[in-house]
Amino acid sequence: MSEELICITCPLGCRLSVDRQPDGGLAVTGNRCPRGVKYANEELLAPRRVVSATAAVEGGAACSGNPGGLCAVSRLPVRSSAAYPKQGVPELLEAIYALRVSLPVSRGDVLIKDFKGSGVDVIATRTLKRVE
Amino acid sequence: MKDLTFDSVVIGGGAAGMAAALELDRAGFSCAIVEREEALGGILTQCIHNGFGLIEFNEELSGPEFAEKIEERLAGTGITSFTGATVMELDASGDIKTLYCYTGAHGVMRLSARVVVLAMGCRERNRGNIRIPGDRPAGVYTAGLAQRLVNIEGFVPGKDVVIIGSGDIGLIMARRMSWIGCKVHAVVEILPYPSGLTRNIVQCLHDFGIPLYLSHLTTNIVGRERVEGVEITPIENGATRYDKAFTIPCDTVLLSVGLVPENELSKMAGVELNPMTNGPVADSMLMTNVPGVFACGNVLHVHDLVDYVVEEARRAGAHAARWLKGERPKAEARVKAGPNVRYCAPSRVDLHAANKLYMRTLIVKNDATLEVKVNNRVVKSVKKNHIQPSEMIAVELGPKDLEFAVGAPDPVVELSIS
Ligand SMILES: Cc1cc2nc3c(=O)[nH]c(=O)nc-3n(C[C@H](O)[C@H](O)[C@H](O)COP(=O)(O)OP(=O)(O)OC[C@H]3O[C@@H](n4cnc5c(N)ncnc54)[C@H](O)[C@@H]3O)c2cc1C
Ligand code: SF4
């Protein structure tokens, strides 16, 4: 039985049909170009995703201007430094939600280093000062 | 009252406003940015997902990173930023324009300038705009408002979610809500095709097994105090099949049904609007019909990529600087949206300069052709692998393409897609 997949490498969005071969390889049809084969292999054998989320800030709130104003910033946006294996994403999210980041923090600061030996870090994506 | 004078004032400190201000400053003109939020960055600060900056920075960044990288370019310039300051009135009738801003720090502030750049961004269409029947229970949010609540303020608006409209913001929020532990039960789209990118359909819906109901009309939002469900009805061969309507239980509804340029101030200043974009009609210098008032970014027309916003805003800033130096286009042609084109921006091209136009198509098609006609003569034809209404198309037109228009009375450039 073949598996259906949409290639998202370019906007054409080819609908791929993929059959698993006895030797473990994949037979791909429906692709308009070779990148579709590469996509199918990555997506079915080792799918990865960039994860973006927010982390809690220690002390509750942060703000670059006036506290309690329109800018009630209470979460720090973060992301994985590279794509992370898809089936491990829930675990990575748990680790992000367990963080309590103390301010100040700068964009690019590593909050979790080399998660589970994957080589992927979790980094801050915004600079937040401490509220005085 | 604080009363200040600059060569130029930019209204809005998002990606567009910052990029336009940088060009004015670079050309040697004094410039102030007025931003109503406490921080610069605009809508980008709440778009924490990846996918910004491939063109501008050659890497995939999240919204906040993109905004900060642009903001860092302001350091060391002469640009003055007023944050927490809302422009409430714009009088652009004279040579010197006057802006009245309300600020927490200084009370009312008056700014005067010869040039004003409109960069106020856009707002989301809401329930009133699409007329969904039913009571008015709590739990109905626009997708962008939910994005702000979740990503910046740390509130989760509900647990069981239905998203109406398949725009990209809604799709991105489907993944976001799933990742914070909510259950997204459906995305409902009235059209037969999704309005968001395929990439987002795959990574934000398929990854989580979220069903997408295409050709389905939302016929009721059920619930008195709090949302209890959404009734949806299939559309088959143009007929709404009320006999097949069904209800999806939920406690929260997110609307992702389009964006409209913020245009209160534009109207107040007497700026003519294009009914297709709801943004100003702009000439080849990205100037509105009011001399000295320019527009760029989502306030001009809704863009899908911030990289394009920045590119356009940079041109607006550079044109505004040229205008301040007294430069004017020698000859322009009108730009007309031809078959299968919803709109083009700007509405005029300069016959003696390099022009960049953005347009949106009305159709979904592979192997399409974009054709440019000058006074009914085809001057350019470009093959496009794939086009769809949600993806903006860029076209460049130079003096060579436009030479037939030179000297013609009321020349017209028509863009069409087949
Ligand atoms: C909810 C949402 C999600 C999006 N997601 C993506 C995405 O995933 N990827 C992508 O590439 N693009 C995305 N976009 C597109 C995005 O809008 C553009 O990429 C870009 O950020 C728009 O920049 P802008 O400067 O034109 O507008 P904005 O960023 O909206 O900036 C306008 C600024 O003007 C200020 N302002 C308005 N009126 C006044 C006033 N009267 N006085 C003072 N200040 C005022 C506002 O506070 C705001 O800061 C998204 C847009 C929205 C609305
Ligand atoms: S297979 Fe090639 S042409 Fe088709 S969507 Fe993928 S990258 Fe694009």
Side-chain angles (χ1 to χ4, degrees):
Chain A
M1 210 200 64
S2 47
E3 290 169 73
E4 304 296 319
L5 211 59
I6 303 174
C7 177
I8 56 170
T9 312
C10 88
L12 281 180
C14 295
R15 279 158 207 280
L16 311 178
S17 275
V18 188
D19 286 295
R20 287 179 197 259
Q21 303 296 100
D23 67 356
L26 302 179
V28 181
T29 53
N31 53 308
R32 285 188 184 73
C33 85
R35 286 181 297 168
V37 178
K38 180 161 177 274
Y39 175 78
N41 275 279
E42 284 168 4
E43 194 53 23
L44 290 181
L45 304 177
R48 300 172 85 91
R49 296 287 184 269
V50 173
V51 173
S52 49
T54 63
V57 169
E58 206 161 34
C63 181
S64 35
N66 72 338
L70 253 186
C71 62
V73 179
S74 46
R75 304 290 295 185
L76 172 71
V78 305
R79 68 171 167 92
S80 58
S81 57
Y84 188 76
K86 187 178 159 189
Q87 98 274 7
V89 167
E91 212 181 358
L92 178 57
L93 284 170
E94 284 306 314
I96 292 171
Y97 297 153
L99 288 171
R100 295 292 174 270
V101 182
S102 51
L103 301 184
V105 64
S106 298
R107 185 182 87 238
D109 282 359
V110 175
L111 306 171
I112 301 176
K113 179 100 198 119
D114 188 19
F115 186 64
K116 301 244 154 181
S118 61
V120 174
D121 301 335
V122 172
I123 59 169
T125 57
R126 184 176 183 179
T127 300
L128 286 180
K129 300 196 192 98
R130 189 201 299 272
V131 191
E132 299 304 337
Chain B
M1 182 168 63
K2 210 175 161 99
D3 198 343
L4 297 164
T5 301
F6 295 88
D7 293 324
S8 57
V9 172
V10 178
I11 310 178
M18 290 192 284
L22 282 164
E23 289 304 312
L24 279 152
D25 176 79
R26 198 218 301 266
F29 293 103
S30 63
C31 181
I33 300 176
V34 187
E35 166 56 51
R36 84 181 150 205
E37 302 271 338
E38 303 295 335
L40 296 174
I43 205 77
L44 287 172
T45 47
Q46 69 180 53
C47 302
I48 63 160
H49 57 280
N50 237 39
F52 302 82
L54 270 175
I55 302 170
E56 182 67 23
F57 296 109
N58 216 349
E59 57 178 321
E60 267 199 58
L61 301 168
S62 64
E65 289 170 291
F66 190 102
E68 269 190 35
K69 282 175 83 96
I70 299 276
E71 189 180 341
E72 280 164 7
R73 295 178 180 165
L74 301 183
T77 68
I79 298 168
T80 310
S81 304
F82 297 102
T83 53
T86 305
V87 179
M88 299 299 288
E89 274 178 50
L90 169 58
D91 178 353
S93 53
D95 238 14
I96 304 292
K97 282 100 185 122
T98 320
L99 300 91
Y100 291 91
C101 317
Y102 293 7
T103 74
H106 314 289
V108 179
M109 181 171 75
R110 179 164 62 200
L111 301 180
S112 308
R114 283 170 61 211
V115 149
V116 170
V117 180
L118 306 173
M120 292 93 75
C122 58
R123 62 170 70 156
E124 296 180 276
R125 298 217 297 156
N126 57 35
R127 187 174 176 179
N129 299 118
I130 56 165
R131 293 190 292 270
I132 303 171
D135 285 316
R136 292 289 178 267
V140 182
Y141 299 83
T142 58
L145 175 60
Q147 189 177 47
R148 180 187 170 112
L149 290 175
V150 172
N151 291 345
I152 295 186
E153 301 184 23
F155 295 113
V156 179
K159 294 239 60 120
D160 290 280
V161 183
V162 168
I163 297 173
I164 298 176
S166 60
D168 284 310
I169 305 167
L171 299 178
I172 295 285
M173 281 311 286
R175 173 174 65 190
R176 186 74 188 112
M177 298 301 279
S178 303
W179 272 349
I180 57 176
C182 302
K183 175 97 185 128
V184 180
H185 295 273
V187 172
V188 184
E189 170 60 58
I190 188 170
L191 296 173
Y193 54 86
S195 50
L197 302 174
T198 310
R199 180 192 172 83
N200 288 335
I201 300 286
V202 171
Q203 297 204 333
C204 301
L205 300 187
H206 296 181
D207 269 12
F208 302 93
I210 299 169
L212 170 62
Y213 294 96
L214 296 172
S215 300
H216 275 70
L217 181 68
T218 304
T219 38
N220 201 355
I221 293 179
V222 189
R224 289 199 68 83
E225 300 293 322
R226 176 83 198 187
V227 173
E228 288 163 16
V230 170
E231 181 199 71
I232 69 173
T233 306
I235 302 169
E236 293 172 4
N237 306 318
T240 310
R241 295 294 303 267
Y242 291 103
D243 54 317
K244 293 190 178 172
F246 60 100
T247 299
I248 305 170
C250 63
D251 60 26
T252 303
V253 175
L254 303 188
L255 301 174
S256 177
V257 291
L259 303 166
V260 196
E262 185 82 52
N263 55 26
E264 263 73 43
L265 284 175
S266 313
K267 282 187 201 157
M268 189 186 292
V271 167
E272 185 194 343
L273 300 181
N274 175 342
M276 290 316 293
T277 57
N278 279 302
V281 174
D283 72 6
S284 66
M285 296 185 94
L286 298 173
M287 189 169 81
T288 67
N289 63 309
V290 180
V293 177
F294 294 75
C296 56
N298 282 350
V299 84
L300 181 57
H301 61 116
V302 176
H303 297 58
D304 32 49
L305 283 182
V306 66
D307 302 76
Y308 294 154
V309 166
V310 168
E311 186 278 324
E312 181 182 87
R314 216 176 259 144
R315 275 187 290 126
H319 283 312
R322 258 178 240 133
W323 190 87
L324 278 169
K325 289 180 189 152
E327 286 178 40
R328 303 286 183 271
K330 273 207 272 314
E332 291 188 313
R334 260 190 311 133
V335 178
K336 188 177 152 195
N340 295 326
V341 175
R342 190 150 74 86
Y343 74 78
C344 317
S347 309
R348 290 178 172 274
V349 286
D350 183 336
L351 302 185
H352 302 289
N355 296 276
K356 186 154 190 173
L357 291 162
Y358 287 115
M359 55 193 273
R360 274 185 202 279
T361 165
L362 289 161
I363 55 170
V364 183
K365 198 175 175 203
N366 285 343
D367 302 318
T369 308
L370 172 119
E371 211 168 64
V372 184
K373 282 188 198 157
V374 172
N375 289 346
N376 289 321
R377 199 180 327 196
V378 179
V379 297
K380 194 170 193 160
S381 170
V382 189
K383 289 261 171 278
K384 293 275 165 198
N385 275 342
H386 178 84
I387 51 156
Q388 62 185 59
S390 57
E391 284 187 45
M392 221 164 67
I393 304 171
V395 208
E396 296 188 10
L397 290 178
K400 272 213 104 33
D401 303 312
L402 300 168
E403 61 193 6
F404 295 130
V406 178
D410 190 22
V412 178
V413 174
E414 184 183 286
L415 293 112
S416 62
I417 296 240
S418 57

